[in-house]
Every structure is written in C-alpha cells, then in structure tokens.
Amino acid sequence: NVYYLQKISEIDTVTGNDKKLIDQIVSDSQEIENDFIIVAGSPIPMLIGTDWNAWVRELEAEMDKPVIAINTKGFATYEYGEKAIFSRVGK
C-alpha cells in the first residue's frame, strides 16, 4: 500500500524547515505499518537544494528502517517518477 500524508505546510516546505518535515515523516511512519520509506522529490526541494543524502541518514537513524530518496525533480511525467521509484525499489 502507498500512503500520502498531507500534514506539512507549504511555508515549511518552501523555507526548508527540514527538521519539521523529517519529524513529520517519522511520526507518520509510526502510524502506518511499513518496511521502508520512500521520499520523492518535487520542484520545491529541487529549487531549495534539499540534501536528500542527509535526510536518508537522519531518517534511517530515527526509524531504524531503510529510506530511499528519489529526486524526481517534479518536472517530468508521473510515469517517469514511478519508473525511477520502482527501479530503485527493485534493486
């Protein structure tokens, strides 16, 4: 199952409030049974230069489960993003 949790404000995203976003992912992960987490990029994280490797390290340390970050950039089609995600998960 895929879950999209919409509890993060645009202001937090645009201003790069990484700690709040990471805390929200950790909190949401505790509410849903999951084996791993995928974080997919969009135009805003690309524009503000989100450090996906740092996110992966912090999330894995806090949740003790694998985290995959996909920088889809948000400008391509949904099929492009899905292909990028499935090719990473399939490894």
Side-chain angles (χ1 to χ4, degrees):
N1 294 334
V2 176
Y3 298 92
Y4 300 93
L5 302 172
Q6 304 294 324
K7 297 180 184 178
I8 301 169
S9 74
E10 288 181 30
I11 295 296
D12 289 324
T13 303
V14 173
T15 58
N17 189 350
D18 289 0
K19 183 62 177 156
K20 183 172 182 181
L21 301 173
I22 289 169
D23 288 348
Q24 188 65 57
I25 292 168
V26 170
S27 173
D28 290 343
S29 175
Q30 294 168 351
E31 296 176 23
I32 299 168
E33 182 179 330
N34 56 71
D35 296 323
F36 61 92
I37 301 293
I38 297 176
V39 181
S42 66
I44 299 300
M46 185 194 69
L47 291 171
I48 64 173
T50 299
D51 184 350
W52 293 114
N53 293 328
W55 277 48
V56 167
R57 286 189 304 272
E58 188 166 342
L59 286 166
E60 285 181 337
E62 290 193 36
M63 296 187 300
D64 196 32
K65 63 180 70 174
V67 176
I68 300 169
I70 306 289
N71 191 10
T72 61
K73 297 179 177 57
F75 292 113
T77 64
Y78 283 113
E79 290 82 11
Y80 173 85
E82 290 170 348
K83 182 179 177 183
I85 291 169
F86 290 128
S87 67
R88 284 289 302 276
V89 172
K91 289 184 178 183

